[in-house]
Amino acid sequence: MVFSALFLAGELVAASSVQIKETGPQKFELLVDGKPFFANGVGGYNNLPMLKEMGGNCFRTWGIESLEERIDGKPLLDYAHDLGLKVVVGIWIGHERHGFDYMDQAQLRKQRRDVEGAVRKYKNHPAILMWGLGNEMEGPASGGSEIRIWEELNHLAKLVKKEDPSHPVMTVIAGIGGEKVKNIIKHYPEIDVLGVNAYASAPGVGGGLVEQGWKKPFMLTEFGPSGHWEVGHTSWGAPIEPTSREKAASYFATQKRVIEDGQGMCLGTFAFLWSHKQETTSTWYGMFLPTGEKLGTVDAMGYAWSGEFPANRSPKLISLSSSADQKKVKRDSLQKAHVKVKDAEGDPLEIDWVVTAESTDRQVGGDKESVPPSYPSLIVSNGDESLEFYAPSKSGAYRLFVYIRDNAGGAATANFPFYVE
């Protein structure tokens, strides 16, 4: 099925026209049907009504197959449109680390056909903001010297624009280090917007792009807490995860700083991740718990977008302390932990403690990881601010997690690593 004009809610709805207007030297504005639009966005499409309620106006996906998913019986794009949300439609472009060969003409031809087909099928949907042509296809640790990738993206962008001149093309890279920006300027002139995924370095993206000669608009396409590669580590190599309270402060500060320092080049930001996932831990990047509760990072972004906190805020974790925090302990030893929490509305709080093994299935670039095992039998007491727990009987690396939930869909969390000798 190829969309032309769509009947949505009984009305014939035409595609949006999206343009980038240069308002001054290296200053830009995104226009949707002639009206200014700054992307207050997220990565992912979990709980889209809450995104709208919090003041967000768009989200990004990574692969075209996402558009086939249905929410409440509706295709994702229709569901987004009904909420008044725009979508940066991700089109997955092959990664060499996954086996794609940019020297293989047969693979290139197939990828080109797939890209053209995807754009042709969805281009007239009114929820589309722009095309996200590829995500970190250069590799998360790349210096950007892979000229063949940028040249192929330039070819693909031409195909997209020929098929659909009404929506800009953005390609997302992993940070702005190395020669990426220089080589994109030289070998990928068809790009309209540069998307940058950055975490601890996110506040400096705008200035860094200017220093490297970038003269087009950009978007911060992933940001959030400091990455697991950017934080302190224990003596046995376990990264130390910020608490949900610390993450909330980081999200808010990054959003404000990027907009202020974007020098008119920033067209929007996308907080990561508007869902949950296992990446280093089960809580590092998710803005929601796996059980669905929102964390303080959601509240922080809502305040950044709208200037108001939600009617019921997530609990606040003041501190977490333990005899085992970042320590080496003896097997089967009895340990203690204590958490201090506060709830703005005085809601009753449920506190749960979990001991897990340290993840050993560490992937790169956000690739899928398996969830490490947990050990509920080690918890002596559960359900209040103080805890006694036994260290596992098997030597190795572990973590203690604490989850605080109110009775209104909010939560807070923290964890620390420890090692059993």
Side-chain angles (χ1 to χ4, degrees), residues 185-302:
I185 292 171
K186 184 176 180 180
H187 300 284
Y188 188 3
E190 291 291 330
I191 191 173
D192 297 313
V193 182
L194 182 63
V196 180
N197 293 344
Y199 289 85
S201 62
V205 166
L209 287 172
V210 170
E211 290 176 3
Q212 295 186 56
W214 185 252
K215 300 184 185 301
K216 294 183 178 182
F218 78 94
M219 285 181 159
L220 185 63
T221 40
E222 280 185 23
F223 74 97
S226 294
H228 55 272
W229 63 95
E230 297 172 312
V231 298
H233 288 65
T234 65
S235 59
W236 58 93
I240 300 166
E241 181 176 349
T243 67
S244 57
R245 183 186 183 188
E246 292 167 336
K247 292 175 188 176
S250 177
Y251 276 80
F252 181 82
T254 297
Q255 172 79 0
K256 290 299 185 184
R257 176 78 180 274
V258 167
I259 293 172
E260 291 171 359
D261 293 356
Q263 305 184 37
M265 296 171 67
C266 183
L267 300 181
T269 67
F270 295 81
F272 186 84
L273 172 70
W274 195 257
S275 185
H276 61 86
K277 70 177 298 193
Q278 169 69 37
E279 186 171 355
T280 304
T281 75
S282 61
T283 56
W284 202 298
Y285 298 99
M287 299 171 73
F288 295 80
L289 291 183
T291 45
E293 295 86 357
K294 69 177 176 68
L295 294 164
T297 49
V298 173
D299 296 352
M301 289 310 304

Side-chain angles (χ1 to χ4, degrees), residues 234-236 323-324 326-335 389-399 417-421:
T234 65
S235 59
W236 58 93
S323 55
Q326 302 174 46
K327 303 282 181 54
K328 291 186 176 182
V329 300
K330 295 187 181 300
R331 64 181 66 188
D332 299 318
S333 60
L334 185 64
Q335 303 293 327
F389 68 101
Y390 284 106
S393 57
K394 182 180 178 180
S395 63
Y398 297 87
R399 283 183 188 261
F418 65 97
Y419 193 90
V420 176
E421 296 183 296

Side-chain angles (χ1 to χ4, degrees), residues 26-246:
Q26 293 183 252
K27 294 185 182 299
F28 304 92
E29 189 173 53
L30 193 63
L31 301 176
V32 177
D33 295 329
K35 298 178 181 180
F37 184 95
F38 186 87
N40 290 323
V42 297
Y45 43 90
N46 173 65
N47 202 338
L48 293 178
M50 183 177 289
L51 174 62
K52 180 69 174 181
E53 178 186 341
M54 290 287 178
N57 58 16
C58 66
F59 61 94
R60 63 177 289 235
T61 63
W62 284 263
I64 205 71
E65 67 280 353
S66 300
L67 304 189
E68 298 298 325
E69 294 193 30
R70 289 181 172 264
I71 302 177
D72 292 344
K74 299 177 183 179
L76 180 59
L77 287 177
D78 292 5
Y79 187 80
H81 180 73
D82 287 349
L83 288 170
L85 298 172
K86 294 296 183 184
V87 186
V88 174
V89 176
I91 303 177
W92 190 258
I93 301 302
H95 290 212
E96 291 187 328
R97 65 191 177 90
H98 295 153
F100 192 89
D101 184 356
Y102 279 85
M103 303 300 290
D104 186 324
Q105 292 302 309
Q107 289 190 52
L108 292 177
R109 285 193 296 271
K110 181 182 184 305
Q111 180 164 263
R112 292 168 186 174
R113 289 193 301 269
D114 290 345
V115 169
E116 284 182 299
V119 174
R120 185 174 301 124
K121 180 175 182 179
Y122 294 105
K123 65 182 180 180
N124 290 311
H125 199 289
I128 294 177
L129 182 67
M130 62 178 68
W131 301 104
L133 190 62
N135 182 81
E136 298 187 4
M137 59 276 110
E138 79 280 12
S142 166
S145 61
E146 302 84 356
I147 305 304
R148 61 195 176 278
I149 296 178
W150 311 125
E151 290 179 340
E152 179 59 22
L153 280 162
N154 196 63
H155 184 85
L156 291 171
K158 288 180 181 179
L159 296 179
V160 173
K161 291 181 177 185
K162 182 179 179 180
E163 186 67 47
D164 177 20
S166 297
H167 297 99
V169 174
M170 174 170 69
T171 288
V172 175
I173 60 175
I176 59 172
E179 300 182 332
K180 294 180 190 182
V181 177
K182 180 186 75 174
N183 283 329
I184 290 171
I185 292 171
K186 184 176 180 180
H187 300 284
Y188 188 3
E190 291 291 330
I191 191 173
D192 297 313
V193 182
L194 182 63
V196 180
N197 293 344
Y199 289 85
S201 62
V205 166
L209 287 172
V210 170
E211 290 176 3
Q212 295 186 56
W214 185 252
K215 300 184 185 301
K216 294 183 178 182
F218 78 94
M219 285 181 159
L220 185 63
T221 40
E222 280 185 23
F223 74 97
S226 294
H228 55 272
W229 63 95
E230 297 172 312
V231 298
H233 288 65
T234 65
S235 59
W236 58 93
I240 300 166
E241 181 176 349
T243 67
S244 57
R245 183 186 183 188
E246 292 167 336

